[in-house]
């Protein structure tokens, strides 16, 4: 059975927008190896429309000696969107109807990781639907101060479990989380529990 796995570059203050502005000075061989191992373990990509459009415009013309670009371009790609009828990037399937059902089916059909890059709105929706299995937050020692964040005010309080960490020689840290059985926390219920604990 496949797993839906998020991999995202983020600053310490949670910004994921325009990573090219703050990642290049932290490139290191150990981080590059981890990224290559990750894409090799993936059997498909799952993307939101905005991330898909950016990737589709850039990756087909890219090459590298390690084979990362070849892997990105050859993997099956699934884009969740209501505004796109057909994807131009090779091996693209558009998911327009019943996305929760279709993604659950993909997890049954695919053996390896179903890898998500970026796609913040999709990730937030997947968490609410309990369809995401792992979150890999590659955290850079940078405070951006502004920019789009992976989790915004639309998210309810959500409990995650730290399952792994890896520090790279550049100072970047990869933190791996899984959703817990608690999942989303109802703020009203949490306040009630806190009150009971304080009074008990």
């Amino acid at each position: 059975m496949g797993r839906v796995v998020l991999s995202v570059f983020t600053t310490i203050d949670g910004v994921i927008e325009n990573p090219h502005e703050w990642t290049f000075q932290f490139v290191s061989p150990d981080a590059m190896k981890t990224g290559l191992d990750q894409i090799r373990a993936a059997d498909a990509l799952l993307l939101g429309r905005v991330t898909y459009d950016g990737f589709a415009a850039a990756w087909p013309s890219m090459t590298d000696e390690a084979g990362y670009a070849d892997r990105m371009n050859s993997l099956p790609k699934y884009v969740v969107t209501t505004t796109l009828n057909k994807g131009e990037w090779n091996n693209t399937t558009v998911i327009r109807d019943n996305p929760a059902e279709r993604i659950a089916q993909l997890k049954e059909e695919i053996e390896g990781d179903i890898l998500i890059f970026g796609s913040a709105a999709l990730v937030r929706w997947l968490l609410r639907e309990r369809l995401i299995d792992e979150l890999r937050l590659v955290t850079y020692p940078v405070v951006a101060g502004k920019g789009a964040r992976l989790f915004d005010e639309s998210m309810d309080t959500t409990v995650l479990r730290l399952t792994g960490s890896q520090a790279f020689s550049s100072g970047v840290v990869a933190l791996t989380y899984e959703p817990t059985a608690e999942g989303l926390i109802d703020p009203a219920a949490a306040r009630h529990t806190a009150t009971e604990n304080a009074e008990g």
Side-chain angles (χ1 to χ4, degrees), residues 18-20 45 47-62 72-73 77 79 84 88-89 117-119:
N18 297 326
H20 60 278
L45 299 179
L47 304 168
R49 171 67 189 271
V50 174
T51 301
Y52 175 84
D53 284 348
F55 280 15
W59 278 106
S61 62
M62 290 188 184
M72 283 287 291
N73 286 312
K77 303 154 189 75
V79 53
L84 185 69
E88 298 301 324
W89 198 7
F117 292 114
S119 307

Side-chain angles (χ1 to χ4, degrees), residues 1 4 100 103-104 107 123-133 158-159 179-185:
M1 183 173 180
V4 174
I103 292 168
K107 292 172 70 169
V123 169
R124 293 191 289 264
W125 176 79
L126 287 167
L127 275 173
R128 286 191 288 268
E129 295 292 323
R130 295 181 176 270
L131 286 170
I132 197 163
D133 299 289
T158 305
V159 179
T180 66
E182 292 93 336
L184 302 178
I185 296 177

Side-chain angles (χ1 to χ4, degrees), residues 4-178:
V4 174
V5 176
L6 166 70
S7 179
V8 66
F9 294 164
T10 177
T11 63
I12 288 175
D13 55 338
V15 173
I16 63 170
E17 186 177 2
N18 297 326
H20 60 278
E21 295 181 356
W22 37 265
T23 57
F24 286 153
Q25 64 179 304
F26 298 101
V27 173
S28 63
D30 50 355
M32 292 177 67
K33 180 183 183 302
T34 296
L36 188 58
D37 291 344
Q38 174 178 257
I39 198 68
R40 286 173 174 167
D43 280 347
L45 299 179
L46 178 64
L47 304 168
R49 171 67 189 271
V50 174
T51 301
Y52 175 84
D53 284 348
F55 280 15
W59 278 106
S61 62
M62 290 188 184
T63 59
D64 63 272
E65 293 182 359
Y68 192 99
D70 286 344
R71 185 66 175 163
M72 283 287 291
N73 286 312
S74 63
L75 279 171
K77 303 154 189 75
Y78 298 88
V79 53
V80 179
T81 176
T82 59
T83 58
L84 185 69
N85 292 317
K86 181 182 179 182
E88 298 301 324
W89 198 7
N90 64 306
N91 297 335
T92 292
T93 299
V94 174
I95 300 177
R96 290 178 59 93
D97 301 319
N98 302 315
E101 180 180 330
R102 183 67 187 106
I103 292 168
Q105 290 174 350
L106 285 177
K107 292 172 70 169
E108 296 290 339
E109 298 167 0
I110 293 173
E111 290 297 324
D113 290 344
I114 304 168
L115 193 59
I116 308 172
F117 292 114
S119 307
L122 175 61
V123 169
R124 293 191 289 264
W125 176 79
L126 287 167
L127 275 173
R128 286 191 288 268
E129 295 292 323
R130 295 181 176 270
L131 286 170
I132 197 163
D133 299 289
E134 185 172 286
L135 300 91
R136 299 171 184 165
L137 308 185
V138 184
T139 306
Y140 284 71
V142 174
V143 176
K146 62 180 179 179
R149 287 170 165 77
L150 178 60
F151 302 118
D152 61 15
E153 294 180 357
S154 70
M155 279 295 298
D156 294 324
T157 303
T158 305
V159 179
L160 303 174
R161 178 186 302 110
L162 181 68
T163 59
S165 63
Q166 182 178 7
F168 299 117
S169 57
S170 61
V172 174
V173 178
L175 302 173
T176 303
Y177 296 92
E178 292 178 353

